[in-house]
mmCIF file of all heavy atoms in Angstrom:
data_model
loop_
_atom_site.group_PDB
_atom_site.id
_atom_site.type_symbol
_atom_site.label_atom_id
_atom_site.label_comp_id
_atom_site.label_asym_id
_atom_site.label_seq_id
_atom_site.Cartn_x
_atom_site.Cartn_y
_atom_site.Cartn_z
ATOM 1 N N PHE A 1 107.939 76.938 81.074
ATOM 2 C CA PHE A 1 108.910 77.984 81.175
ATOM 3 C C PHE A 1 109.551 77.886 82.643
ATOM 4 O O PHE A 1 108.945 77.513 83.531
ATOM 5 C CB PHE A 1 108.292 79.331 80.920
ATOM 6 C CG PHE A 1 107.850 79.636 79.569
ATOM 7 C CD1 PHE A 1 106.496 79.311 79.165
ATOM 8 C CD2 PHE A 1 108.700 80.099 78.570
ATOM 9 C CE1 PHE A 1 106.080 79.464 77.908
ATOM 10 C CE2 PHE A 1 108.261 80.310 77.289
ATOM 11 C CZ PHE A 1 106.962 79.983 76.906
ATOM 12 N N LYS A 2 110.778 78.512 82.585
ATOM 13 C CA LYS A 2 111.482 78.859 83.900
ATOM 14 C C LYS A 2 112.064 80.153 83.623
ATOM 15 O O LYS A 2 113.160 80.314 83.008
ATOM 16 C CB LYS A 2 112.572 77.776 84.191
ATOM 17 C CG LYS A 2 113.177 78.002 85.594
ATOM 18 C CD LYS A 2 112.225 77.630 86.655
ATOM 19 C CE LYS A 2 112.821 77.761 88.058
ATOM 20 N NZ LYS A 2 111.815 77.402 89.121
ATOM 21 N N VAL A 3 111.506 81.237 84.138
ATOM 22 C CA VAL A 3 111.944 82.569 83.860
ATOM 23 C C VAL A 3 112.745 83.128 85.055
ATOM 24 O O VAL A 3 112.652 82.631 86.163
ATOM 25 C CB VAL A 3 110.715 83.492 83.579
ATOM 26 C CG1 VAL A 3 110.039 83.080 82.291
ATOM 27 C CG2 VAL A 3 109.739 83.526 84.772
ATOM 28 N N ASP A 4 113.448 84.251 84.728
ATOM 29 C CA ASP A 4 114.360 84.831 85.766
ATOM 30 C C ASP A 4 113.467 85.548 86.893
ATOM 31 O O ASP A 4 113.768 85.504 88.042
ATOM 32 C CB ASP A 4 115.279 85.874 85.126
ATOM 33 C CG ASP A 4 116.298 85.166 84.207
ATOM 34 O OD1 ASP A 4 116.808 84.099 84.526
ATOM 35 O OD2 ASP A 4 116.588 85.731 83.135
ATOM 36 N N PHE A 5 112.354 86.236 86.393
ATOM 37 C CA PHE A 5 111.581 87.054 87.258
ATOM 38 C C PHE A 5 110.078 86.854 86.915
ATOM 39 O O PHE A 5 109.756 86.719 85.700
ATOM 40 C CB PHE A 5 111.876 88.563 87.094
ATOM 41 C CG PHE A 5 113.318 88.967 87.363
ATOM 42 C CD1 PHE A 5 114.151 89.071 86.272
ATOM 43 C CD2 PHE A 5 113.735 89.160 88.618
ATOM 44 C CE1 PHE A 5 115.454 89.461 86.508
ATOM 45 C CE2 PHE A 5 115.023 89.570 88.928
ATOM 46 C CZ PHE A 5 116.001 89.691 87.824
ATOM 47 N N ALA A 6 109.237 86.854 87.995
ATOM 48 C CA ALA A 6 107.852 86.906 87.850
ATOM 49 C C ALA A 6 107.430 88.298 88.357
ATOM 50 O O ALA A 6 107.709 88.556 89.639
ATOM 51 C CB ALA A 6 107.060 85.799 88.519
ATOM 52 N N VAL A 7 106.881 89.131 87.660
ATOM 53 C CA VAL A 7 106.344 90.413 88.136
ATOM 54 C C VAL A 7 104.774 90.269 88.324
ATOM 55 O O VAL A 7 104.117 90.089 87.300
ATOM 56 C CB VAL A 7 106.638 91.558 87.259
ATOM 57 C CG1 VAL A 7 106.113 92.861 87.785
ATOM 58 C CG2 VAL A 7 108.141 91.701 87.006
ATOM 59 N N ILE A 8 104.350 90.231 89.537
ATOM 60 C CA ILE A 8 102.920 89.943 89.746
ATOM 61 C C ILE A 8 102.236 91.153 90.470
ATOM 62 O O ILE A 8 102.861 91.735 91.301
ATOM 63 C CB ILE A 8 102.668 88.632 90.418
ATOM 64 C CG1 ILE A 8 103.192 88.743 91.911
ATOM 65 C CG2 ILE A 8 103.211 87.475 89.658
ATOM 66 C CD1 ILE A 8 102.785 87.532 92.769
ATOM 67 N N GLY A 9 101.002 91.329 90.213
ATOM 68 C CA GLY A 9 100.196 92.184 90.966
ATOM 69 C C GLY A 9 99.271 91.419 91.867
ATOM 70 O O GLY A 9 99.189 90.152 91.764
ATOM 71 N N THR A 10 98.394 91.988 92.597
ATOM 72 C CA THR A 10 97.408 91.290 93.431
ATOM 73 C C THR A 10 96.222 92.277 93.747
ATOM 74 O O THR A 10 96.453 93.476 93.711
ATOM 75 C CB THR A 10 98.000 90.798 94.694
ATOM 76 O OG1 THR A 10 97.017 89.989 95.456
ATOM 77 C CG2 THR A 10 98.391 91.921 95.734
ATOM 78 N N SER A 11 95.111 91.732 94.002
ATOM 79 C CA SER A 11 93.878 92.588 94.213
ATOM 80 C C SER A 11 93.802 93.040 95.627
ATOM 81 O O SER A 11 93.314 94.075 95.931
ATOM 82 C CB SER A 11 92.629 91.810 93.901
ATOM 83 O OG SER A 11 92.564 91.495 92.509
ATOM 84 N N ALA A 12 94.420 92.324 96.619
ATOM 85 C CA ALA A 12 94.330 92.653 97.991
ATOM 86 C C ALA A 12 95.481 92.005 98.758
ATOM 87 O O ALA A 12 95.886 90.943 98.301
ATOM 88 C CB ALA A 12 92.987 92.237 98.594
ATOM 89 N N ILE A 13 95.856 92.566 99.874
ATOM 90 C CA ILE A 13 96.955 92.048 100.727
ATOM 91 C C ILE A 13 96.348 92.129 102.105
ATOM 92 O O ILE A 13 96.054 93.138 102.666
ATOM 93 C CB ILE A 13 98.267 92.811 100.697
ATOM 94 C CG1 ILE A 13 98.723 92.935 99.227
ATOM 95 C CG2 ILE A 13 99.291 92.109 101.530
ATOM 96 C CD1 ILE A 13 99.904 93.815 98.989
ATOM 97 N N ASP A 14 96.309 90.903 102.746
ATOM 98 C CA ASP A 14 95.892 90.736 104.123
ATOM 99 C C ASP A 14 97.053 91.186 105.031
ATOM 100 O O ASP A 14 98.160 91.044 104.643
ATOM 101 C CB ASP A 14 95.374 89.373 104.458
ATOM 102 C CG ASP A 14 94.701 89.200 105.814
ATOM 103 O OD1 ASP A 14 93.512 89.456 105.858
ATOM 104 O OD2 ASP A 14 95.421 88.972 106.736
ATOM 105 N N LEU A 15 96.692 91.765 106.170
ATOM 106 C CA LEU A 15 97.807 92.144 107.077
ATOM 107 C C LEU A 15 98.629 90.957 107.671
ATOM 108 O O LEU A 15 99.619 91.214 108.298
ATOM 109 C CB LEU A 15 97.224 93.083 108.248
ATOM 110 C CG LEU A 15 96.806 94.387 107.877
ATOM 111 C CD1 LEU A 15 96.227 95.161 109.085
ATOM 112 C CD2 LEU A 15 97.932 95.223 107.304
ATOM 113 N N SER A 16 98.156 89.753 107.407
ATOM 114 C CA SER A 16 98.968 88.657 107.748
ATOM 115 C C SER A 16 100.017 88.333 106.657
ATOM 116 O O SER A 16 100.909 87.549 106.916
ATOM 117 C CB SER A 16 98.045 87.337 107.857
ATOM 118 O OG SER A 16 97.542 86.965 106.551
ATOM 119 N N GLY A 17 99.905 88.977 105.539
ATOM 120 C CA GLY A 17 100.924 88.787 104.410
ATOM 121 C C GLY A 17 100.371 87.891 103.382
ATOM 122 O O GLY A 17 101.039 87.674 102.275
ATOM 123 N N ASP A 18 99.070 87.512 103.400
ATOM 124 C CA ASP A 18 98.500 86.724 102.267
ATOM 125 C C ASP A 18 98.070 87.624 101.097
ATOM 126 O O ASP A 18 97.568 88.731 101.341
ATOM 127 C CB ASP A 18 97.276 86.028 102.790
ATOM 128 C CG ASP A 18 97.615 84.926 103.705
ATOM 129 O OD1 ASP A 18 98.652 84.410 103.598
ATOM 130 O OD2 ASP A 18 96.682 84.517 104.528
ATOM 131 N N LEU A 19 98.422 87.161 99.949
ATOM 132 C CA LEU A 19 98.048 87.895 98.720
ATOM 133 C C LEU A 19 96.712 87.275 98.194
ATOM 134 O O LEU A 19 96.594 86.078 98.079
ATOM 135 C CB LEU A 19 99.128 87.681 97.608
ATOM 136 C CG LEU A 19 100.598 87.909 97.993
ATOM 137 C CD1 LEU A 19 101.548 87.696 96.810
ATOM 138 C CD2 LEU A 19 100.788 89.239 98.704
ATOM 139 N N LEU A 20 95.793 88.210 97.843
ATOM 140 C CA LEU A 20 94.408 87.625 97.565
ATOM 141 C C LEU A 20 93.928 88.130 96.218
ATOM 142 O O LEU A 20 94.359 89.249 95.764
ATOM 143 C CB LEU A 20 93.461 88.244 98.742
ATOM 144 C CG LEU A 20 93.868 87.823 100.111
ATOM 145 C CD1 LEU A 20 93.009 88.665 101.124
ATOM 146 C CD2 LEU A 20 93.830 86.351 100.427
ATOM 147 N N ASP A 21 93.019 87.422 95.725
ATOM 148 C CA ASP A 21 92.429 87.725 94.398
ATOM 149 C C ASP A 21 90.922 87.293 94.351
ATOM 150 O O ASP A 21 90.472 86.687 95.312
ATOM 151 C CB ASP A 21 93.218 87.281 93.229
ATOM 152 C CG ASP A 21 93.354 88.234 92.066
ATOM 153 O OD1 ASP A 21 92.286 88.859 91.696
ATOM 154 O OD2 ASP A 21 94.430 88.448 91.648
ATOM 155 N N PHE A 22 90.292 87.662 93.246
ATOM 156 C CA PHE A 22 88.879 87.366 93.140
ATOM 157 C C PHE A 22 88.437 86.083 92.295
ATOM 158 O O PHE A 22 87.568 85.442 92.529
ATOM 159 C CB PHE A 22 88.136 88.561 92.544
ATOM 160 C CG PHE A 22 88.159 89.752 93.380
ATOM 161 C CD1 PHE A 22 89.183 90.698 93.206
ATOM 162 C CD2 PHE A 22 87.159 89.946 94.389
ATOM 163 C CE1 PHE A 22 89.204 91.878 94.049
ATOM 164 C CE2 PHE A 22 87.239 91.118 95.229
ATOM 165 C CZ PHE A 22 88.183 92.000 95.062
ATOM 166 N N ASP A 23 89.296 85.865 91.308
ATOM 167 C CA ASP A 23 89.018 84.790 90.254
ATOM 168 C C ASP A 23 89.837 83.588 90.478
ATOM 169 O O ASP A 23 91.073 83.685 90.310
ATOM 170 C CB ASP A 23 89.219 85.420 88.911
ATOM 171 C CG ASP A 23 88.738 84.417 87.778
ATOM 172 O OD1 ASP A 23 88.424 83.286 88.104
ATOM 173 O OD2 ASP A 23 88.760 84.823 86.584
ATOM 174 N N PRO A 24 89.237 82.431 90.876
ATOM 175 C CA PRO A 24 90.079 81.243 91.045
ATOM 176 C C PRO A 24 90.909 80.799 89.836
ATOM 177 O O PRO A 24 91.901 80.286 89.944
ATOM 178 C CB PRO A 24 89.090 80.175 91.502
ATOM 179 C CG PRO A 24 87.967 80.929 92.075
ATOM 180 C CD PRO A 24 87.874 82.192 91.272
ATOM 181 N N GLU A 25 90.281 81.168 88.645
ATOM 182 C CA GLU A 25 90.930 80.753 87.442
ATOM 183 C C GLU A 25 92.307 81.570 87.191
ATOM 184 O O GLU A 25 93.253 81.076 86.738
ATOM 185 C CB GLU A 25 89.967 80.957 86.259
ATOM 186 C CG GLU A 25 88.822 80.060 86.175
ATOM 187 C CD GLU A 25 89.248 78.643 86.022
ATOM 188 O OE1 GLU A 25 89.781 78.256 85.000
ATOM 189 O OE2 GLU A 25 89.033 77.875 86.975
ATOM 190 N N GLU A 26 92.217 82.873 87.622
ATOM 191 C CA GLU A 26 93.337 83.674 87.572
ATOM 192 C C GLU A 26 94.412 83.225 88.677
ATOM 193 O O GLU A 26 95.617 83.312 88.421
ATOM 194 C CB GLU A 26 93.052 85.122 87.738
ATOM 195 C CG GLU A 26 94.227 86.098 87.716
ATOM 196 C CD GLU A 26 93.916 87.456 87.937
ATOM 197 O OE1 GLU A 26 92.700 87.901 87.897
ATOM 198 O OE2 GLU A 26 94.855 88.396 88.078
ATOM 199 N N VAL A 27 93.858 82.964 89.835
ATOM 200 C CA VAL A 27 94.701 82.531 90.960
ATOM 201 C C VAL A 27 95.587 81.260 90.552
ATOM 202 O O VAL A 27 96.768 81.247 90.803
ATOM 203 C CB VAL A 27 93.872 82.317 92.197
ATOM 204 C CG1 VAL A 27 94.759 81.575 93.266
ATOM 205 C CG2 VAL A 27 93.413 83.620 92.798
ATOM 206 N N ARG A 28 95.035 80.360 89.872
ATOM 207 C CA ARG A 28 95.682 79.161 89.479
ATOM 208 C C ARG A 28 96.839 79.457 88.560
ATOM 209 O O ARG A 28 97.968 78.991 88.641
ATOM 210 C CB ARG A 28 94.757 78.229 88.779
ATOM 211 C CG ARG A 28 95.495 76.952 88.065
ATOM 212 C CD ARG A 28 94.388 75.878 87.796
ATOM 213 N NE ARG A 28 94.866 75.001 86.724
ATOM 214 C CZ ARG A 28 95.852 74.209 86.863
ATOM 215 N NH1 ARG A 28 96.620 74.163 87.920
ATOM 216 N NH2 ARG A 28 96.220 73.359 85.872
ATOM 217 N N VAL A 29 96.692 80.462 87.688
ATOM 218 C CA VAL A 29 97.745 80.892 86.760
ATOM 219 C C VAL A 29 98.799 81.587 87.555
ATOM 220 O O VAL A 29 100.084 81.435 87.354
ATOM 221 C CB VAL A 29 97.195 81.790 85.638
ATOM 222 C CG1 VAL A 29 98.263 82.325 84.779
ATOM 223 C CG2 VAL A 29 96.097 81.052 84.870
ATOM 224 N N SER A 30 98.464 82.484 88.481
ATOM 225 C CA SER A 30 99.410 83.200 89.264
ATOM 226 C C SER A 30 100.294 82.283 90.075
ATOM 227 O O SER A 30 101.503 82.424 90.221
ATOM 228 C CB SER A 30 98.726 84.245 90.155
ATOM 229 O OG SER A 30 98.132 85.256 89.351
ATOM 230 N N GLN A 31 99.665 81.267 90.707
ATOM 231 C CA GLN A 31 100.471 80.289 91.468
ATOM 232 C C GLN A 31 101.385 79.600 90.579
ATOM 233 O O GLN A 31 102.599 79.248 90.991
ATOM 234 C CB GLN A 31 99.451 79.310 92.145
ATOM 235 C CG GLN A 31 98.667 79.950 93.272
ATOM 236 C CD GLN A 31 97.573 79.021 93.813
ATOM 237 O OE1 GLN A 31 97.088 78.164 93.109
ATOM 238 N NE2 GLN A 31 97.051 79.365 94.971
ATOM 239 N N GLN A 32 101.025 79.286 89.351
ATOM 240 C CA GLN A 32 101.968 78.536 88.450
ATOM 241 C C GLN A 32 103.094 79.441 88.054
ATOM 242 O O GLN A 32 104.234 79.077 87.943
ATOM 243 C CB GLN A 32 101.233 78.124 87.211
ATOM 244 C CG GLN A 32 102.020 77.206 86.231
ATOM 245 C CD GLN A 32 102.440 75.857 86.995
ATOM 246 O OE1 GLN A 32 101.616 75.174 87.567
ATOM 247 N NE2 GLN A 32 103.726 75.625 86.900
ATOM 248 N N VAL A 33 102.796 80.738 87.885
ATOM 249 C CA VAL A 33 103.879 81.790 87.546
ATOM 250 C C VAL A 33 104.916 81.817 88.654
ATOM 251 O O VAL A 33 106.128 81.821 88.373
ATOM 252 C CB VAL A 33 103.231 83.104 87.410
ATOM 253 C CG1 VAL A 33 104.221 84.180 87.377
ATOM 254 C CG2 VAL A 33 102.396 83.115 86.100
ATOM 255 N N ILE A 34 104.426 81.834 89.868
ATOM 256 C CA ILE A 34 105.435 81.861 90.984
ATOM 257 C C ILE A 34 106.380 80.701 90.950
ATOM 258 O O ILE A 34 107.552 80.818 91.249
ATOM 259 C CB ILE A 34 104.660 82.109 92.348
ATOM 260 C CG1 ILE A 34 103.970 83.404 92.419
ATOM 261 C CG2 ILE A 34 105.629 81.914 93.456
ATOM 262 C CD1 ILE A 34 103.031 83.469 93.561
ATOM 263 N N LYS A 35 105.823 79.463 90.766
ATOM 264 C CA LYS A 35 106.548 78.239 90.598
ATOM 265 C C LYS A 35 107.546 78.332 89.543
ATOM 266 O O LYS A 35 108.682 77.774 89.586
ATOM 267 C CB LYS A 35 105.723 77.063 90.510
ATOM 268 C CG LYS A 35 104.824 76.746 91.674
ATOM 269 C CD LYS A 35 103.982 75.498 91.371
ATOM 270 C CE LYS A 35 102.992 75.324 92.562
ATOM 271 N NZ LYS A 35 102.110 74.043 92.214
ATOM 272 N N ALA A 36 107.174 78.980 88.483
ATOM 273 C CA ALA A 36 108.090 79.059 87.168
ATOM 274 C C ALA A 36 109.063 80.118 87.215
ATOM 275 O O ALA A 36 109.877 80.247 86.254
ATOM 276 C CB ALA A 36 107.135 79.285 86.002
ATOM 277 N N ALA A 37 109.242 80.897 88.330
ATOM 278 C CA ALA A 37 110.154 81.953 88.352
ATOM 279 C C ALA A 37 111.261 81.760 89.334
ATOM 280 O O ALA A 37 111.060 81.169 90.422
ATOM 281 C CB ALA A 37 109.462 83.277 88.713
ATOM 282 N N ARG A 38 112.539 82.291 89.060
ATOM 283 C CA ARG A 38 113.596 82.160 89.962
ATOM 284 C C ARG A 38 113.391 83.217 91.111
ATOM 285 O O ARG A 38 113.903 83.014 92.193
ATOM 286 C CB ARG A 38 114.979 82.298 89.275
ATOM 287 C CG ARG A 38 115.183 81.304 88.290
ATOM 288 C CD ARG A 38 116.549 81.465 87.556
ATOM 289 N NE ARG A 38 116.826 80.292 86.688
ATOM 290 C CZ ARG A 38 116.450 80.203 85.394
ATOM 291 N NH1 ARG A 38 115.784 81.258 84.851
ATOM 292 N NH2 ARG A 38 116.697 79.157 84.712
#
């Protein structure tokens, strides 16, 4: 897919601006989502 928007949540945000999560399997999907969105 190539979608107009990706609406994503996150489990934690570091004060450096990094978005963090717990499950590497979910993270892989979220990273693919960001690539697939305008």
Side-chain angles (χ1 to χ4, degrees):
F1 293 91
K2 189 70 176 182
V3 295
D4 297 319
F5 302 96
V7 179
I8 66 168
T10 189
S11 293
I13 305 172
D14 191 86
L15 288 178
S16 67
D18 287 336
L19 313 182
L20 307 170
D21 221 310
F22 294 93
D23 184 354
E25 295 295 295
E26 180 181 351
V27 167
R28 172 161 159 65
V29 176
S30 296
Q31 290 170 338
Q32 190 61 51
V33 167
I34 293 170
K35 291 179 183 177
R38 295 182 176 90

